[in-house]
Amino acid sequence: MYQPKGMEYDVIVVGAGHAGIEAALAAAKMGKVVLLLTLNLDNVALLPCNPSIGGPAKANLVREIDALGGQMAKTIDQTLMQIRMLNTSKGPAVQALRSQLDRKLYQRYMKQVLENTPNLYLKEGVVTDLIVKDDTVLGVKVGPREVRGKTVILATGTYLRSVIHIGEETYQLAPQGQCPANEMGKALEKYLPLVRFKTGTPARVNLRSLDFSKMTIQPGDENIGGFSFETKELNIKQVPCWLTYTNEETHQIIRNNLHRAALYSGQITGPGPRYCPSIEAKVVQFPDRTGHQVFVEPEGWNTSEGYLSGLATSLPVDVQIQFLRTIPGLENVEVMRAGYAIEYDCFDPRLLNTYLQVKSIKGLFSAGQINGSSGYEEAAGQGLIAGINAALYVDGKDLFTIDRSQAYLGVLIDDLVIKGTNEPYRIMTSRAEYRLFLRADNADQRLTPLGYKLGLISQERYDKFQEKWANIEGEIERLENVKLRSNQATNEILQKLGTTEIRHGITLAELLRRPEIGYQDLAHLDELPDLPPEVIKEVEISIKYKGYLKKQEEAIARFRKTENLKLPVIDYKQVKGLSREAVEKLSEQQPITLGQASRISGVSPADISVLLVYIEQMKKVQEK
Amino acid sequence: MYNDTIAAIATPLGEGGIGIVRLSGPDALKIGDQVFRAKQNKKLKNLPTYTLAYGKIIDRDQKVVDEVIAAVMLKPKSYTGEDVVELQCHGGIVVIQKILDLVLSYGARLAEPGEFTKRAFLNGRIDLSQAEAVIDVIRSKTELSLDLAVQQLEGSLSNRIQEMREKLYDIIVRIEASIDFPEDDIPDVEYSEMKEILADIHQDITRLLATADSGKVLREGLKTVITGKPNVGKSSLLNRLLNENRALVTDIPGTTRDVIEEVLNLQGIPLRLLDTAGIRESDDLVEQMGVERAIQLIDEADLVLHVLDASSELTEDDFSLLEKTAKKQRVLIVNKIDLPEKWSIDVLPQDAKIVKTSLVRDSLDPVIDTIIGLIKSGYVQQKQEGAIITRSRHKQLLSLALADLEQAQETLSNNLPVDLIAIGLQGALEHLGEITGETVRDNMIDRIFEQFCIGK
């Protein structure tokens, strides 16, 4: 079943979650024969936490995946129930789409995409071990069966020896009552050190038991487009979410029962994510807050199950029901599934390089939560990079990497593999140095040419992309050259537009740079070409924020100077003048570029100077 | 290989009669021509390699800073392999510092430790066997921590920087939290409030930068007061300290008539000696100035040198003065031990730093060692208001921080989105962080989680 005679796999992907899916699809599109193994075929592309994708930085990741030719954005656009634009007034770079999804529909859609992809074999099977010989991976074991492949991508999510905690009760289970991958967890320990992380989710409730009249409605936004660059229109009638709040009574119940919460009783030791704390952690850490938000999110078109965002918990079921019923609108709540905390094995991501390749085992890659990240978007992004690199590895080509100035994908991977993480890692816009440049709207400009080169973007899409950017550049140039004369007629129009009059001639671009003027306002002064909204948006951003963008580009140019300097293979112990800590860290982490080396903690600017001199010295020796 | 031009003072500070400011890089000649006016109006860029020109350094107000000799060495046959200009001046530290500041203001970047040598090596001007020496240079100057005493002096500067950083952090963390967690009930930062806070920080930076103006740098230093009863040897101490150590500035206009400040460099530590003017001949501080003035001077001091006379009995005056100086970091200098001693040092407080000497006969070394020892012990600290910028690096970073802050202020007053304001604020925070050696990004994220309840 797994390896019919004559079948040779280039890539074996373990796990069909968000990381595994993107990995398998990318490798298959790049012409590789791919086996995608999942514990349970009915749980492909599971969204075990929020039925929601997007938000600041996360939405940018989804756009970047799309710009490179990944799948996530397209599936979202086909299966969402609500879409909103967040941060609309905070700046062009931090506006973010957020979607509510029909969980089952999302899974079914993804499964079908996988099934319909040539070269991709989706099969159910429990992987129990790797086959490793001479520090090279040769395949995986599915129980007693050996499956051979040239590369293996681990995308095991939270399933490695996972334990679920509901108050005092613990179960050796994975999300949604599934079986954990216990043997695989144990097996991996033979090759690599593992650490233990935790995360958690809130209870799921029957929406029919709620009183929405006591909550605030949160409708979606219309006409804001979708996640994928290829989505033209979303034809759905959106459903709302609802907002309510906890109160002192809720908090008192939680406080009274803290000793029964797995997180506080000592039952759980692994660190949890700070950005996604349990309700008990919020009550303990912010005792002055008299209320915490609760978002009620629907889980699908054909179900009454709902998700209580903001109320992740490790308290026992009876306490969960008790505190939930103190919340306005939830007085008669029917809990369908209890909230739980989950602990699982993962890698210290510093075991990897920026290609998401395990440094100590040839042919082995890993992506997603096993790398210490959290979030569907973070997982999918890593999956895409791992899939691309496994394919390139099979072909013996140079591997693919994206740096911090190119994409959030680069920030995510660089943070993980260079700095490591001591909590499940979440992407944030504040983690990016060049935020203004890493916008959701220009992800195609940043990455689509790369995706095209890799073979992940079709010719047709690439042509459209080029046309779009030619239009943008053409219109920018035009606006910079069309002059507006200072005369009475012009100034009357300017006055009507609520902006100051002009005394000398100025260009349309200069006028557009005024905060109160938008592109469409120019129609009163000039005949504007008929351009699609995505082109207009880009023109506006490029002109309005020109000064800021230019400064950021200069900073990026400085950054790239060291970032692009590739390090040869160096025995750091032989480099005189390096501090001991630097020798230790550099030997351990084996950075690929000088820029990466400079970001390793314990490596000082002086160490970088020493390295630069050493590299030059080596070059000169070789020349002689 | 490099596209920026670096500059630094190439001679040890405070030593030697000639000071050299060295420029290296593609703009060395251009920057040189901006600050240098040759006698015959010759331009440096027109000079052949390895020639000297005599002329003046002119500041931005067209005032003459110093007379100098400019040396031009063109690439590739210069020390660094790049275009190099050296400005040799004979002024003191103040002047050379001013020249350096001037070339930095025209776009040169302050060289990192060993950077000239590093460039020389990378441009093939130094052979392989010297590579290790290059590394030593890089190492020695950065790894050896600054002299502890100097660090102490800079303690107050880093306190001030830290205060500004806290103000900046406070506002940035609020902005970043509201951007990254828009659904988490985090209030937006009001522009009017932001305006006030930024104006406040702007004032802080501007004030600190003002202290960097020449002269002041050196006029500051540890406020040191020499005190004691009449005729115990105060002026002998002052004169010997001044004569045997390089007095950096001997005449400072604008100081009050009755107090003379002398700044001397004691093993690299600037001491600002306060002495009373016009009464030096009478040497009678307590009588002439009155007890109040004496107390005031002592109160203002960071360090007190209290001179006592071993050859005459201690009096009420001595004891009352001893009581007053006890509150300060002080060195008790028991003078005139070449004469018969009339009292034993056992009567002095046990824990005091005491040196017995004859200021007319003995070497001054024990006195200086005791002073330096006391300073290095870390107890002597400059008062808060004495925060000053002593290094060009700090000045440059502060100026960059100020420019970023001003960009944020402009963005703010144009009512542009908060994300764009954040760019300037983060830049300012990063530049301030470079002064104290702290990184921004991880700190910022930690602070977001400490301050706000996140977790939809």
Side-chain angles (χ1 to χ4, degrees):
Chain A
M1 167 182 167
Y2 296 111
Q3 197 153 33
K5 256 214 162 106
M7 171 67 90
E8 277 187 47
Y9 293 119
D10 294 312
V11 182
I12 299 172
V13 182
V14 183
H18 308 285
I21 289 172
E22 295 293 349
L25 286 172
K29 278 193 198 168
M30 288 169 73
K32 298 292 152 284
V33 181
V34 180
L35 172 64
L36 174 57
L37 288 165
T38 172
L39 288 170
N40 183 340
L41 262 184
D42 294 326
N43 282 332
V44 167
L46 190 66
L47 302 151
C49 208
N50 282 40
S52 168
I53 296 182
K58 285 171 169 274
N60 301 48
L61 275 180
V62 178
R63 291 281 276 190
E64 288 170 0
I65 293 166
D66 189 64
L68 275 173
Q71 179 59 36
M72 183 175 243
K74 292 191 175 75
T75 305
I76 297 171
D77 289 346
Q78 296 305 318
T79 61
L80 56 81
M81 305 170 73
Q82 191 202 73
I83 187 162
R84 292 174 64 203
M85 183 67 94
L86 307 176
N87 280 343
T88 46
S89 63
K90 289 178 193 154
V94 296
Q95 292 181 5
L97 285 176
R98 187 181 198 280
S99 63
Q100 294 297 140
L101 303 159
D102 181 314
R103 190 194 297 280
K104 287 285 169 206
L105 203 56
Y106 187 91
Q107 289 183 254
R108 274 210 299 276
Y109 192 94
M110 270 303 193
K111 186 163 170 246
Q112 208 158 17
V113 170
L114 293 167
E115 289 162 350
N116 291 340
T117 300
N119 297 329
L120 198 164
Y121 298 85
L122 173 65
K123 291 175 195 278
E124 191 172 278
V126 181
V127 174
T128 50
D129 201 350
L130 295 172
I131 306 168
V132 178
K133 205 180 159 194
D134 301 332
D135 295 329
T136 305
V137 73
L138 302 175
V140 298
K141 283 186 186 158
V142 181
R145 296 172 190 83
E146 289 201 345
V147 186
R148 299 274 166 164
K150 290 176 190 147
T151 60
V152 172
I153 300 174
L154 295 173
T156 54
T158 59
Y159 288 75
L160 293 177
R161 286 191 289 197
S162 58
V163 173
I164 281 182
H165 301 258
I166 306 174
E168 301 92 341
E169 301 162 40
T170 62
Y171 303 95
Q172 293 220 345
L173 286 177
Q176 317 259 316
Q178 299 184 78
C179 283
N182 285 337
E183 283 175 82
M184 188 60 170
K186 209 171 159 206
L188 280 180
E189 225 168 22
K190 287 186 294 191
Y191 314 107
L192 297 158
L194 299 175
V195 292
R196 212 147 167 82
F197 274 4
K198 78 134 277 252
T199 183
T201 79
R204 316 297 159 93
V205 300
N206 190 325
L207 295 175
R208 290 180 56 228
S209 66
L210 306 188
D211 179 356
F212 292 108
S213 69
K214 294 180 178 166
M215 307 182 191
T216 317
I217 192 165
Q218 287 213 307
D221 296 328
E222 299 294 336
N223 302 320
I224 52 170
F227 276 79
S228 172
F229 283 97
E230 293 192 286
T231 300
K232 285 288 154 248
E233 240 179 309
L234 298 172
N235 285 319
I236 50 147
K237 190 171 161 12
Q238 300 192 37
V239 296
C241 293
W242 300 87
L243 174 63
T244 180
Y245 286 87
T246 61
N247 52 49
E248 266 310 317
E249 202 190 335
T250 326
H251 301 170
Q252 201 48 53
I253 292 167
I254 290 166
R255 270 185 219 115
N256 291 345
N257 289 284
L258 267 186
H259 60 285
R260 298 183 62 199
L263 283 166
Y264 284 88
S265 63
Q267 206 168 299
I268 294 179
T269 48
R274 287 176 298 176
Y275 47 82
C276 188
S278 61
I279 183 65
E280 47 269 30
K282 292 194 225 179
V283 169
V284 171
Q285 282 161 25
F286 295 90
D288 297 340
R289 287 282 290 256
T290 53
H292 294 280
Q293 296 184 116
V294 179
F295 293 89
V296 181
E297 305 174 0
E299 296 233 331
W301 299 103
N302 305 315
T303 175
S304 292
E305 207 177 334
Y307 184 92
L308 300 178
S309 189
L311 291 178
T313 183
S314 66
L315 284 159
V317 190
D318 58 305
V319 181
Q320 292 188 24
I321 295 172
Q322 205 188 338
F323 82 69
L324 287 176
R325 291 194 169 166
T326 63
I327 298 170
L330 274 67
E331 294 85 352
N332 298 307
V333 69
E334 275 305 316
V335 171
M336 295 175 74
R337 301 183 211 223
Y340 61 84
I342 182 169
E343 280 186 293
Y344 54 95
D345 287 343
C346 56
F347 292 150
D348 176 341
R350 286 174 295 186
L351 298 173
L352 311 169
N353 55 27
T354 46
Y355 308 126
L356 295 182
Q357 196 178 24
V358 174
K359 283 181 271 196
S360 57
I361 300 176
K362 291 189 194 79
L364 184 63
F365 297 79
S366 71
Q369 268 169 308
I370 189 175
N371 290 347
S373 68
S374 84
Y376 314 133
E377 305 86 345
E378 288 86 343
Q382 292 172 61
L384 178 60
I385 301 297
I388 290 170
N389 280 323
L392 292 171
Y393 180 90
V394 169
D395 289 344
K397 289 185 181 154
D398 280 348
L399 299 192
F400 176 74
T401 177
I402 296 179
D403 73 37
R404 302 182 71 88
S405 69
Q406 287 173 294
Y408 276 98
L409 273 172
V411 175
L412 162 73
I413 292 172
D414 189 79
D415 274 352
L416 282 173
V417 309
I418 303 295
K419 289 189 207 149
T421 181
N422 48 23
E423 67 179 331
Y425 176 98
R426 170 185 165 152
I427 193 71
M428 291 163 60
T429 70
S430 347
R431 297 192 194 272
E433 292 85 353
Y434 314 108
R435 184 160 73 190
L436 192 59
F437 187 62
L438 306 186
R439 302 190 307 276
D441 57 81
N442 71 351
D444 58 342
Q445 185 193 27
R446 293 183 276 124
L447 301 172
T448 294
L450 301 176
Y452 175 68
K453 243 193 231 165
L454 288 165
L456 293 171
I457 297 286
S458 68
Q459 187 63 46
E460 189 196 348
R461 179 170 173 186
Y462 189 63
D463 291 343
K464 271 191 195 152
F465 156 81
Q466 285 193 307
E467 189 193 327
K468 171 184 161 188
W469 283 91
N471 275 337
I472 293 165
E473 276 151 31
E475 181 61 1
I476 292 172
E477 203 189 317
R478 194 184 75 83
L479 294 178
E480 271 169 355
N481 287 308
V482 176
K483 270 227 165 172
L484 212 53
R485 289 221 191 112
S486 163
N487 56 38
Q488 205 185 342
T490 302
N491 279 329
E492 268 170 25
I493 295 169
L494 291 178
Q495 215 175 4
K496 269 186 206 152
L497 291 173
T499 188
T500 44
E501 300 176 0
I502 53 171
R503 292 210 192 134
H504 321 280
I506 62 169
T507 65
L508 287 178
E510 282 168 314
L511 184 65
L512 185 53
R513 214 157 282 146
R514 295 183 176 181
E516 63 275 14
I517 297 291
Y519 181 81
Q520 297 301 348
D521 292 328
L522 304 181
H524 300 281
L525 297 153
D526 181 49
E527 202 169 312
L528 297 180
D530 188 22
L531 295 169
E534 67 268 21
V535 169
I536 293 174
K537 184 172 184 177
E538 235 39 65
V539 168
E540 263 187 343
I541 291 174
S542 300
I543 289 182
K544 278 190 175 296
Y545 308 118
K546 190 178 179 185
Y548 299 91
L549 286 165
K550 198 171 158 249
K551 236 186 134 179
Q552 197 132 83
E553 270 162 33
E554 287 163 7
I556 289 174
R558 284 196 297 276
F559 162 80
R560 291 235 167 103
K561 257 185 168 178
T562 52
E563 199 54 37
N564 291 346
L565 212 150
K566 278 214 172 184
L567 292 173
V569 179
I570 294 174
D571 179 359
Y572 291 100
K573 284 190 207 85
Q574 302 302 314
V575 183
K576 278 191 190 149
L578 279 181
S579 73
R580 206 159 41 155
E581 195 185 358
V583 171
E584 200 177 292
K585 293 278 178 65
L586 290 166
S587 311
E588 200 179 286
Q589 293 210 35
Q590 296 289 335
I592 294 165
T593 70
L594 194 68
Q596 287 173 15
S598 72
R599 287 191 295 279
I600 295 173
S601 80
V603 177
S604 70
D607 291 318
I608 293 302
S609 275
V610 168
L611 264 186
L612 197 62
V613 169
Y614 180 81
I615 295 167
E616 204 57 31
Q617 198 178 357
M618 270 176 61
K619 261 193 223 154
K620 284 179 187 170
V621 170
Q622 279 161 8
E623 278 165 20
K624 281 184 182 178
Chain B
M1 167 147 193
Y2 293 92
N3 54 17
D4 55 351
T5 298
I6 53 172
I9 297 172
T11 42
L13 271 181
E15 292 162 34
I18 288 180
I20 297 177
V21 172
R22 180 184 291 149
L23 281 152
S24 175
D27 289 333
L29 293 165
K30 197 178 114 199
I31 295 170
D33 275 328
Q34 275 165 313
V35 302
F36 177 78
R37 296 282 177 282
K39 253 279 160 78
Q40 303 87 9
N41 254 339
K42 265 187 264 172
K43 288 281 175 202
L44 296 179
K45 64 172 186 209
N46 299 328
L47 292 182
T49 187
Y50 283 94
T51 39
L52 300 177
Y54 174 71
K56 290 167 183 157
I57 297 291
I58 309 287
D59 70 12
R60 282 177 179 269
D61 301 326
Q62 300 306 312
K63 277 197 216 133
V64 175
V65 178
D66 197 10
E67 295 193 339
V68 299
I69 290 170
V72 172
M73 289 148 273
L74 300 179
K75 68 177 181 190
K77 289 205 166 175
S78 70
Y79 173 60
T80 57
E82 305 173 328
D83 286 345
V84 170
V85 171
E86 288 188 353
L87 303 167
Q88 309 176 356
C89 60
H90 48 262
I93 288 186
V94 176
V95 169
I96 192 166
Q97 194 74 43
K98 203 165 176 180
I99 296 173
L100 177 63
D101 285 346
L102 201 56
V103 298
L104 295 179
S105 80
Y106 280 110
R109 173 173 66 71
L110 190 71
E112 290 160 23
E115 197 171 358
F116 288 108
T117 318
K118 186 172 100 185
R119 287 191 175 196
F121 177 79
L122 295 179
N123 290 330
R125 295 294 297 164
I126 300 183
D127 73 33
L128 263 181
S129 61
Q130 285 170 281
E132 274 178 36
V134 180
I135 288 166
D136 283 346
V137 174
I138 294 168
R139 263 298 156 211
S140 66
K141 295 202 180 155
T142 47
E143 289 287 293
L144 284 179
S145 59
L146 290 168
D147 190 291
L148 186 66
V150 176
Q151 271 186 358
Q152 284 298 332
L153 288 180
E154 287 179 354
S156 55
L157 172 70
S158 70
N159 284 344
R160 282 279 289 276
I161 303 261
Q162 201 50 45
E163 278 168 32
M164 294 178 210
R165 276 166 55 85
E166 284 304 320
K167 288 181 193 171
L168 270 171
Y169 259 132
D170 182 61
I171 197 125
I172 289 176
V173 165
R174 284 162 63 195
I175 292 173
E176 295 297 315
S178 76
I179 286 176
D180 265 315
F181 302 98
E183 295 176 289
D184 275 279
D185 238 3
I186 295 162
D188 289 344
V189 190
E190 294 292 335
Y191 276 29
S192 54
E193 186 199 348
M194 217 177 333
K195 231 170 225 171
E196 272 175 41
I197 296 172
L198 297 197
D200 182 36
I201 301 169
H202 189 274
Q203 195 177 33
D204 287 350
I205 300 181
T206 321
R207 275 195 193 146
L208 196 50
L209 263 175
T211 68
D213 287 344
S214 62
K216 185 120 191 211
V217 174
L218 294 155
R219 211 185 306 165
E220 302 286 343
L222 285 177
K223 256 191 191 179
T224 308
V225 166
I226 300 177
T227 192
K229 226 171 43 167
N231 289 320
V232 290
K234 295 194 296 290
S235 60
S236 309
L237 177 62
L238 178 72
N239 290 332
R240 286 200 58 190
L241 278 171
L242 291 177
N243 292 338
E244 294 172 26
N245 296 280
R246 233 171 87 85
L248 301 175
V249 179
T250 49
D251 177 35
I252 300 158
T255 49
T256 49
R257 258 299 289 139
D258 57 343
V259 176
I260 276 185
E261 299 182 1
E262 306 274 8
V263 179
L264 71 107
N265 180 346
L266 211 57
Q267 298 183 10
I269 303 164
L271 289 194
R272 182 177 158 204
L273 284 177
L274 298 183
D275 191 28
T276 46
I279 54 163
R280 265 205 240 176
E281 62 277 13
S282 83
D283 208 359
D284 191 347
L285 181 102
V286 179
E287 270 178 21
Q288 284 216 358
M289 298 287 295
V291 181
E292 259 174 61
R293 183 78 182 104
I295 292 170
Q296 195 192 329
L297 269 183
I298 291 166
D299 266 355
E300 288 169 4
D302 300 313
L303 173 66
V304 173
L305 307 179
H306 187 161
V307 188
L308 297 156
D309 181 351
S311 68
S312 69
E313 292 290 349
L314 291 175
T315 65
E316 269 307 299
D317 281 349
D318 285 307
F319 285 112
S320 93
L321 204 54
L322 273 169
E323 229 169 81
K324 274 157 197 136
T325 59
K327 284 175 273 176
K328 289 284 166 182
Q329 292 301 324
R330 64 176 177 182
V331 176
L332 301 180
I333 297 158
V334 180
N335 186 22
K336 306 193 189 178
I337 55 165
D338 52 322
L339 304 173
E341 294 180 39
K342 291 277 172 58
W343 50 276
S344 147
I345 61 162
D346 296 344
V347 304
L348 298 175
Q350 292 295 308
D351 54 345
K353 296 256 181 283
I354 303 168
V355 200
K356 288 176 76 176
T357 186
S358 163
L359 289 168
V360 295
R361 182 194 68 190
D362 298 342
S363 152
L364 203 58
D365 288 351
V367 174
I368 292 172
D369 290 347
T370 311
I371 295 172
I372 297 284
L374 184 63
I375 294 171
K376 286 196 177 176
S377 71
Y379 289 113
V380 182
Q381 288 201 355
Q382 228 168 7
K383 289 217 188 83
Q384 193 66 8
E385 65 269 20
I388 47 150
I389 310 163
T390 51
R391 290 156 184 274
S392 297
R393 190 178 86 88
H394 295 168
K395 188 181 175 187
Q396 199 174 28
L397 288 168
L398 269 175
S399 306
L400 290 171
L402 191 68
D404 279 334
L405 185 72
E406 283 171 354
Q407 191 211 322
Q409 286 178 305
E410 196 194 320
T411 311
L412 183 64
S413 59
N414 284 335
N415 266 321
L416 288 167
V418 72
D419 178 30
L420 299 170
I421 300 171
I423 295 176
L425 297 182
Q426 287 189 13
L429 192 57
E430 267 160 30
H431 288 308
L432 292 180
E434 276 178 65
I435 297 178
T436 49
E438 282 161 275
T439 52
V440 172
R441 212 151 288 278
D442 295 340
N443 268 330
M444 192 166 74
I445 289 163
D446 288 343
R447 282 166 190 249
I448 291 176
F449 291 122
E450 275 162 28
Q451 222 163 310
F452 294 101
C453 183
I454 304 292
K456 183 188 162 180

